[in-house]
Amino acid sequence: MTRRSPESGSDGPGVICTERYGTGLSKKYLQGKDGSLVCESAPAERHSLRRCLESLLLPHGFPHSVSEDYLEYQLWDTLQAFASSVTGSLATQSLLRGSGVGDATATVAAATVTWILRDGTGMVGRILFAWMKGSRLDCDAKRWRLFADLLNDVAIFMEIVAPAFPSCFTLMVCAAGVCKCIVGVAGGATRAALTVHQARRDNMADVCAKDGSQETLVNLAGLLVALFLVPLVSDSLWATYLLFLLLTSLHLYANYRAVRSIVMETLNQSRLSIVLDYYLREGRILSPAAANRKEPLLPGLGSQAPVQLGVPLRSLLSSVSQMEMLQKGNRSLYLLGWREDTGSLAAVLHERASSADMIRASVHAEILHQKTRSADPARFSVLAETHRQLDLMFPDFQQGLCSAGWVTDRNLLDADDWRVTWDQSKMH
């Protein structure tokens, strides 16, 4: 609030104070003739419908309570959800037709068995996927978000074409059910990770709730459109396929734009590799926005070093002499080396290793990966040399990360939970 002198206005009572609600509603309080406090009519009342929609669909305190990329992401995410809702209606129609709706020779028992098998295989797939990939979903939320939407389109396509192959109908429906359950795990988990990023006032519940309201409204609009479109194409398979192709193209494009609009300030392996490569070439740190634009979104892309953090000590070495070689020139809280089983780079973390130590270990692995191969007999000499290089460059690199807006007190480098304690005073 700001205060002004009551004598500030010459043609009327002075402004005592002003009041605002977020960035929208504002009021002025004036001094009345009898000394009372009078509220000046708020001009924002003309936009009462807009304020109502904002309070209904957007988090409280928007836009300051969410990240800067929130609105762009939600707009594209709304568009993709609409396209997915309509294609889902097409898939439902095909499933009902394939299950025998409208066919006098079909039995209720056969249709029931098909749906039970579909749901059962989907549940198994959900559990197995969460077990195999659950820990990776946080680290590469954008990739897995895009993967989930791609897989959802594959599942819908299988459901639409399943009636054309009666002998394989149950098998295709079950496969589509597995895909959709994987989509549910990957999509739900990555949505939670993105909510953590977007909620800037410890308002995760509010952001999540408003996202649910937006999705419900979009699905309702999709159902209304489907009520009009589905009867028009129900008698023509080619019209159904053409509509699916158009909506899927829109769905994939909107998904790509939505995921690409996200600017994560925490470092994962891909973003760290991009930032480090630019730093080594140009001597400057890329901002989170610039690095996120370069981040690959499809699995298998990117050139980051394959390194595992927080591995058990036994997987990295089997003798005291090997440990001494890994400690040579090492003053850090990690032991970086090559796994004995796969030959890939891995790091054993000290009990007191912080997020900065994990970032340093990953940076070290990137540099070491460029300078040596796992089969190189001189690799331990190169390792000691790179320790000295890290001692010189990493403090400036870390300071540059903080200055550029990166979050370094936490990371998404997928470190496992193994920790080891050794005597730092005995390090060479």
Side-chain angles (χ1 to χ4, degrees):
M1 278 201 250
T2 58
R3 292 187 62 88
R4 298 183 185 175
S5 171
E7 289 80 18
S8 59
S10 58
D11 55 347
V15 176
I16 301 299
C17 60
T18 60
E19 182 181 43
R20 68 177 178 86
Y21 181 79
T23 58
L25 181 64
S26 62
K27 298 179 181 179
K28 292 181 180 180
Y29 288 89
L30 313 175
Q31 179 179 338
K33 294 180 179 179
D34 57 352
S36 62
L37 198 62
V38 179
C39 178
E40 190 179 66
S41 58
E45 290 179 359
R46 298 191 302 266
H47 309 292
S48 58
L49 178 59
R50 176 182 174 181
R51 291 206 312 274
C52 180
L53 291 176
E54 286 181 352
S55 63
L56 185 67
L57 300 174
L58 296 175
H60 182 75
F62 173 87
H64 300 295
S65 62
V66 292
S67 59
E68 293 182 0
D69 55 19
Y70 177 83
L71 186 59
E72 183 179 359
Y73 173 81
Q74 292 300 131
L75 290 174
W76 286 111
D77 189 57
T78 297
L79 184 58
Q80 69 85 18
F82 172 79
S84 180
S85 178
V86 179
T87 54
S89 298
L90 294 176
T92 300
Q93 178 202 38
S94 297
L95 284 177
L96 292 174
R97 183 189 298 116
S99 299
V101 175
D103 186 356
T105 62
T107 63
V108 175
T112 302
V113 169
T114 299
W115 285 99
I116 290 176
L117 290 174
R118 173 179 178 266
D119 292 344
T121 52
M123 293 174 186
V124 174
R126 179 194 300 270
I127 295 172
L128 291 177
F129 179 77
W131 168 63
M132 295 172 63
K133 297 295 183 180
S135 63
R136 295 292 306 170
L137 299 180
D138 280 304
C139 302
D140 288 304
K142 293 196 286 186
R143 287 190 184 188
W144 285 109
R145 180 72 179 180
L146 189 59
F147 166 81
D149 290 305
L150 286 169
L151 191 61
N152 184 61
D153 289 332
V154 171
I156 291 176
F157 176 74
M158 293 174 68
E159 291 176 342
I160 288 177
V161 301
F165 304 93
S167 59
C168 301
F169 177 79
T170 300
L171 180 62
M172 294 181 70
V173 167
C174 290
V178 172
C179 291
K180 283 197 169 183
C181 284
I182 292 175
V183 169
V185 175
T190 54
R191 176 65 257 183
L194 295 180
T195 300
V196 173
H197 158 69
Q198 292 174 336
R200 293 304 166 94
R201 289 185 180 174
D202 294 326
N203 56 339
M204 281 184 56
D206 186 29
V207 173
C208 187
K210 295 303 170 57
D211 181 68
S213 297
Q214 295 168 22
E215 186 173 353
T216 301
L217 184 62
V218 170
N219 287 337
L220 179 60
L223 288 176
L224 294 176
V225 172
L227 284 175
F228 172 75
L229 287 180
V230 170
L232 296 180
V233 301
S234 59
D235 296 328
S236 172
L237 285 178
W238 288 111
T240 301
Y241 297 156
L242 178 60
L243 181 59
F244 169 77
L245 179 62
L246 293 175
L247 290 171
T248 299
S249 299
L250 175 63
H251 179 245
L252 293 177
Y253 177 73
N255 266 300
Y256 176 80
R257 291 296 301 270
V259 174
R260 181 56 78 189
S261 69
I262 299 170
V263 179
M264 305 285 281
E265 296 91 358
T266 44
L267 290 162
N268 63 2
Q269 292 287 356
S270 295
R271 292 189 286 272
L272 180 58
S273 178
I274 292 168
V275 171
L276 177 63
D277 180 68
Y278 189 84
Y279 176 79
L280 294 176
R281 287 188 292 106
E282 304 293 335
R284 295 184 291 113
I285 299 292
L286 279 175
S287 67
N292 275 264
R293 285 195 296 268
K294 296 176 177 288
E295 183 182 4
L297 297 179
L298 294 177
L301 299 181
S303 57
Q304 65 270 18
V307 60
Q308 296 173 288
L309 302 180
V311 300
L313 185 66
R314 193 70 178 177
S315 66
L316 199 62
L317 49 89
S318 58
S319 66
V320 176
S321 61
Q322 284 181 317
M323 187 169 187
E324 290 176 348
M325 285 189 290
L326 294 184
Q327 290 177 333
K328 187 176 181 181
N330 183 7
R331 296 180 178 85
S332 57
L333 293 175
Y334 61 86
L335 298 176
L336 181 65
W338 294 266
R339 290 185 65 110
E340 293 201 329
D341 50 356
T342 63
S344 60
L345 284 168
V348 172
L349 298 178
H350 194 276
E351 186 69 39
R352 294 187 286 107
S354 64
S355 175
D357 295 306
M358 297 177 194
I359 294 173
R360 172 172 169 147
S362 294
V363 170
H364 194 169
E366 291 281 349
I367 294 175
L368 189 61
H369 181 67
Q370 298 172 8
K371 291 191 173 186
T372 187
R373 298 175 181 174
S374 60
D376 190 344
R379 58 184 181 175
F380 288 103
S381 299
V382 178
L383 175 60
E385 180 183 316
T386 53
H387 271 298
R388 291 189 289 272
Q389 181 181 351
L390 263 291
D391 288 339
L392 294 174
M393 67 158 281
F394 188 75
D396 290 336
F397 180 77
Q398 184 181 8
Q399 180 61 40
L401 289 176
C402 297
S403 300
W406 290 98
V407 175
T408 58
D409 58 352
R410 53 189 174 87
N411 62 74
L412 297 172
L413 297 173
D414 194 27
D416 209 343
D417 292 333
W418 293 99
R419 297 293 183 272
V420 180
T421 301
W422 62 81
D423 190 353
Q424 284 292 103
S425 63
K426 296 182 179 179
M427 301 290 274
H428 296 283

